[in-house]
Amino acid sequence: MKKIFTGMMFLLSVFGLSAQQNKVSLIPQPVELQVMNGSWTLTGSASVGYNKSEGRKVAEMLAQQLNQPTGFKISAKQGTTAAIQLNLNATADAKLGTEGYTLVSGAKGVVITANQPAGLFYGMQTLLQLLPKEIESRKAVKASWTVPAVKITDYPRFAWRGLMLDVSRHFFTKEEVKRYIDEMVRFKYNTFHWHLTDDNGWRVEIKSLPKLTEVGAWRVERHGQFGSRLDPKPGEPATYGGFYTHEDIREIVQYAMDRHVTIVPEIDVPGHSMAAIAAYPELSCTKNPNTMVNPGTNFAEWYGNGTFRMFIENTLNPSDEKVYEFLDKVFTELAQLFPSPYIHVGGDECYKGFWKNDKGCQDLMKKLNIRHVEDLQGYFMNRVEKILTDKGKKLLGWDEILEGGISPGATVMSWRSMAGGIEAAHMGHDVVMTPTSHCYIDYVQGEVTIEPPIYASLRMKKSYSLNPVPEGVDAKHILGGQGNLWTEQVATLRHAEYMTWPRGWALAEVFWTPDEKKNWENFVKRVEHQFTRSDVGEVKYSKAIYDAIIRTRMKDGKLWVEMEPEAPGLDIYYTTDGGMPDHYSPKYSQSFEIPDGPVTLRVITYRNGAPIGHLITLKPADLKARAE
Ligand code: ACM
């Protein structure tokens, strides 16, 4: 009986959701949402009230955000009777925690209640999404500013809901970083992982080591696919780059804090350090004075099984005390700039080939009784952790830090797969899940022959399917998860937006919404609604979900094609006769054999009789390559 009842409740909630869709479309989906009859309309006579002074900042931010598109002059006032009322509980409601909220809207207005200002802030994001899309406008526009009547109780599944932006491969200005943070918080992200250093640029001013930015922040100007660019010429001026001064960082950190975002800075060591070595060659084993900040050349060989070789040294020398003095200076300034309890120290993809041939490293190995050069990374990481601990900070690193042995206090960011995170959690480490399989938003999100190229693919549907707590893992060790935007192939903020959204919406729901409340079909409807809002907000996003997923395979010496839509409700039409496909062409229903000969496959998706996806053209060589 209970099962039948639960089943009915499930059906009700699914059908209920779609019936309410036109009125209410929220990302991430709240824990509890009840849509009621009626609505309230915001006018210029409304004000935003806050019952306690701690709510003032959120109230002022909300008033400002409402005034921009409406042209109203709504103000924030302390009190308890405003049309939009933000209330902090006198006694904490345990269910809401530090970031949860309730939102009740009806004929008289809107009341948001929370234990902490962060909860009011997330209630505010929900309220903005309840308003019509014109609320996203960057200038005053006309609209009916109606809020449907709802009752919402909402709180996050995870405390760590992050996005990482790599500002080393390409530099993003202070204003661009702020805009990226603005876009994150709309979907209740609370952690901005700032990848500040790498082989292609050092982006944070360290006053005691001025060459890090005088030299390390600049590289020669190159265009085209990163990883296949030409080497710097002798004497060529380094003109591309940039960095953040201490003043810039303080400003961005405050900006983020006002929006309840913690910035976790990353200094990637001991590998990925070519920009630092260009500034201070003595930090490496070979001490090559001609080392330059890399402009995106191919300087590594990857063997496909996780092993690799670097042609140019990009690793700090773990046997040199000067390296630890250097790191002490870097982390002293970093610890003063960033209130985050964590500092990310990288630890990924560290090539040890130069260590192997270095006399100092060999002597250190003897002294430490270490047989494998790989274990020197454990020594290095433990030294780094000690530096951080002395400054009151916790070490966070990519999952390679597990390999050399690390203290139980270290937190692990699991990227190569979930396995590192699972192992780390079993060992008692805290873990942030960010596996390439679901979280690498630099990967191609749609059809590879159309999208800007990179070496791997990740569809939004896959991102959405992530459960950051694998079976058998103690959930208390999984802090949450994160999407990572590496920017080798991302030169502008518009393109960063295109890569981030909509997969970043999928991950926002993964990190906020209870797993059992996730629903792919329903989510895609909300994504499409969000597309219209992003259009008004002038935020770029990808429509790759409308492109067919096309696979080929060889069967008995013949080439077979399988296709599926990513977004539900698409019809796939194709030709193999050289013609351009439309909705009179064959409609795909099951896998088929490509006729012998130099055949090109052309595919297009339609919905409700109108074309919606890109035209995809797969030449004979593409079809074959895909089967391999
Ligand atoms: C990484 O993607 N190298 C952490």
Side-chain angles (χ1 to χ4, degrees):
M1 189 62 207
K2 189 160 169 241
K3 262 197 186 139
I4 294 171
F5 180 72
T6 313
M8 277 170 51
M9 289 301 285
F10 174 76
L11 284 176
L12 270 176
S13 66
V14 171
F15 288 119
L17 273 175
S18 51
Q20 294 158 3
Q21 203 56 60
N22 290 338
K23 271 169 90 181
V24 175
S25 176
L26 300 169
I27 296 176
Q29 183 68 21
V31 175
E32 288 169 35
L33 162 66
Q34 243 184 299
V35 180
M36 291 166 320
N37 289 327
S39 64
W40 169 74
T41 300
L42 172 74
T43 65
S45 64
S47 59
V48 181
Y50 53 95
N51 70 334
K52 290 197 197 180
S53 56
E54 296 94 306
R56 183 174 58 85
K57 250 190 184 156
V58 178
E60 283 174 352
M61 219 181 293
L62 175 54
Q64 196 187 348
Q65 229 163 315
L66 296 173
N67 287 338
Q68 178 180 277
T70 59
F72 297 153
K73 293 197 170 56
I74 292 168
S75 60
K77 296 183 185 138
Q78 185 147 15
T80 55
T81 57
I84 301 175
Q85 183 60 42
L86 308 185
N87 290 338
L88 285 168
N89 285 324
T91 314
D93 176 347
K95 192 161 143 186
L96 299 182
T98 54
E99 295 184 297
Y101 66 93
T102 61
L103 185 154
V104 179
S105 53
K108 292 205 182 116
V110 182
V111 180
I112 299 172
T113 309
N115 296 330
Q116 302 281 338
L120 296 180
F121 185 73
Y122 295 123
M124 157 182 158
Q125 301 311 327
T126 297
L127 172 59
L128 291 170
Q129 288 193 23
L130 288 169
L131 279 154
K133 65 178 190 291
E134 288 79 9
I135 205 73
E136 309 281 347
S137 174
R138 289 167 191 268
K139 55 181 191 309
V141 284
K142 288 241 168 320
S144 171
W145 306 105
T146 300
V147 178
V150 295
K151 272 190 190 167
I152 292 173
T153 300
D154 201 15
Y155 44 87
R157 180 175 175 201
F158 295 106
W160 188 299
R161 305 181 303 278
L163 286 178
M164 187 210 77
L165 181 67
D166 166 10
V167 295
S168 172
R169 274 53 179 266
H170 283 99
F171 178 64
F172 294 84
T173 65
K174 183 173 70 177
E175 283 67 36
E176 289 172 328
V177 170
K178 284 186 186 172
R179 182 159 163 162
Y180 198 74
I181 291 170
D182 284 343
E183 290 166 16
M184 287 171 54
V185 298
R186 299 215 151 207
F187 307 97
K188 304 187 173 75
Y189 280 102
N190 68 355
T191 305
F192 177 65
H193 171 174
W194 207 1
H195 186 78
L196 286 165
T197 73
D198 213 299
D199 302 314
N200 315 94
W202 181 285
R203 306 286 178 220
V204 51
E205 177 188 35
I206 301 296
K207 287 186 194 278
S208 56
L209 295 159
K211 281 202 280 183
L212 280 175
T213 43
E214 285 166 13
V215 175
W218 304 96
R219 58 176 158 85
V220 300
E221 179 116 22
R222 288 288 180 276
H223 300 276
Q225 187 79 356
F226 214 88
S228 49
R229 296 174 173 186
L230 296 179
D231 286 323
K233 298 190 200 96
E236 186 181 353
T239 52
Y240 176 89
F243 64 92
Y244 312 100
T245 63
H246 280 204
E247 218 170 39
D248 292 337
I249 301 249
R250 288 206 177 90
E251 187 181 321
I252 295 172
V253 164
Q254 186 61 50
Y255 190 86
M257 255 164 67
D258 289 345
R259 286 154 186 78
H260 300 275
V261 168
T262 301
I263 299 190
V264 178
E266 179 183 355
I267 300 293
D268 200 348
V269 289
H272 286 274
S273 292
M274 205 184 299
I277 294 170
Y280 297 102
E282 62 272 25
L283 300 173
S284 67
C285 290
T286 57
K287 309 189 193 319
N288 180 355
N290 299 321
T291 305
M292 301 219 197
V293 181
N294 192 278
T297 71
N298 178 18
F299 61 87
E301 199 166 34
W302 301 88
Y303 302 123
N305 58 355
T307 62
F308 50 88
R309 182 168 79 88
M310 301 284 173
F311 314 137
I312 305 175
E313 190 178 14
N314 69 344
T315 316
L316 303 180
N317 178 356
S319 71
D320 191 341
E321 283 306 308
K322 284 201 199 75
V323 165
Y324 302 103
E325 286 161 24
F326 163 84
L327 291 172
D328 195 281
K329 286 182 183 165
V330 170
F331 290 126
T332 296
E333 294 189 31
L334 219 66
Q336 286 163 1
L337 287 171
F338 291 95
S340 159
Y342 296 96
I343 290 183
H344 199 307
V345 297
D348 57 321
E349 298 173 321
C350 168
Y351 177 62
K352 281 101 177 174
F354 295 93
W355 295 1
K356 215 179 238 168
N357 300 323
D358 182 77
K359 168 95 173 50
C361 287
Q362 286 164 4
D363 291 348
L364 177 61
M365 284 170 68
K366 273 194 209 118
K367 190 170 135 201
L368 299 172
N369 205 13
I370 288 175
R371 289 222 328 251
H372 304 289
V373 73
E374 285 72 22
D375 293 337
L376 276 182
Q377 185 167 347
Y379 167 81
F380 176 90
M381 285 297 165
N382 280 300
R383 292 283 306 262
V384 171
E385 185 173 29
K386 170 90 178 50
I387 294 171
L388 294 187
T389 309
D390 287 350
K391 303 183 194 318
K393 298 295 185 184
K394 293 200 262 193
L395 181 143
L396 167 65
W398 300 110
D399 56 57
E400 286 96 329
I401 64 169
L402 284 169
E403 287 164 12
I406 194 75
S407 85
T411 301
V412 173
M413 207 166 246
S414 187
W415 74 278
R416 289 178 295 180
S417 67
M418 304 278 274
I422 294 170
E423 184 193 341
H426 287 325
M427 289 162 71
H429 294 282
D430 283 346
V431 171
V432 177
M433 285 294 189
T434 175
T436 52
S437 55
H438 298 77
C439 296
Y440 268 43
I441 55 176
D442 60 324
Y443 287 2
V444 171
Q445 55 197 315
E447 166 55 39
V448 293
T449 56
I450 290 174
E451 298 291 330
I454 192 164
Y455 56 90
S457 288
L458 171 60
R459 287 274 184 164
M460 180 174 81
K461 191 171 184 179
K462 184 82 185 288
S463 292
Y464 191 73
S465 72
L466 175 67
N467 183 352
V469 184
E471 245 179 59
V473 168
D474 187 343
K476 79 168 193 254
H477 286 305
I478 308 296
L479 302 181
Q482 185 173 288
N484 292 337
L485 185 60
W486 302 100
T487 60
E488 283 92 340
Q489 316 300 348
V490 180
T492 65
L493 183 70
R494 290 291 286 174
H495 192 50
E497 292 173 347
Y498 177 84
M499 297 308 287
T500 305
W501 318 117
R503 286 177 297 187
W505 303 334
L507 291 173
E509 186 144 311
V510 166
F511 303 147
W512 180 280
T513 305
D515 205 43
E516 65 277 10
K517 296 254 163 166
K518 282 165 57 195
N519 177 305
W520 170 248
E521 280 75 19
N522 179 269
F523 176 67
V524 174
K525 286 192 185 138
R526 287 179 283 124
V527 164
E528 295 197 74
H529 179 82
Q530 184 58 44
F531 284 167
T532 67
R533 300 180 70 92
S534 299
D535 288 337
V536 176
E538 301 166 34
V539 176
K540 197 161 179 166
Y541 57 87
S542 161
K543 291 185 186 172
I545 54 165
Y546 296 132
D547 292 333
I549 300 171
I550 307 172
R551 286 182 284 265
T552 62
R553 64 193 159 91
M554 293 302 290
K555 200 166 87 181
D556 304 328
K558 302 282 186 190
L559 196 56
W560 284 70
V561 179
E562 288 166 1
M563 299 195 267
E564 64 174 293
E566 184 172 20
L570 302 182
D571 299 318
I572 303 175
Y573 296 95
Y574 68 94
T575 62
T576 53
D577 58 7
M580 296 297 269
D582 65 6
H583 55 318
Y584 297 97
S585 306
K587 182 170 165 179
Y588 179 80
S589 61
Q590 61 183 50
S591 75
F592 62 89
E593 189 185 319
I594 293 278
D596 280 338
V599 169
T600 292
L601 174 70
R602 289 192 172 82
V603 178
I604 192 157
T605 51
Y606 273 63
R607 191 166 63 186
N608 302 327
I612 191 164
H614 292 97
L615 171 68
I616 300 172
T617 304
L618 298 184
K619 303 225 168 93
D622 299 323
L623 290 166
K624 244 194 172 145
R626 205 163 279 211
E628 279 152 13

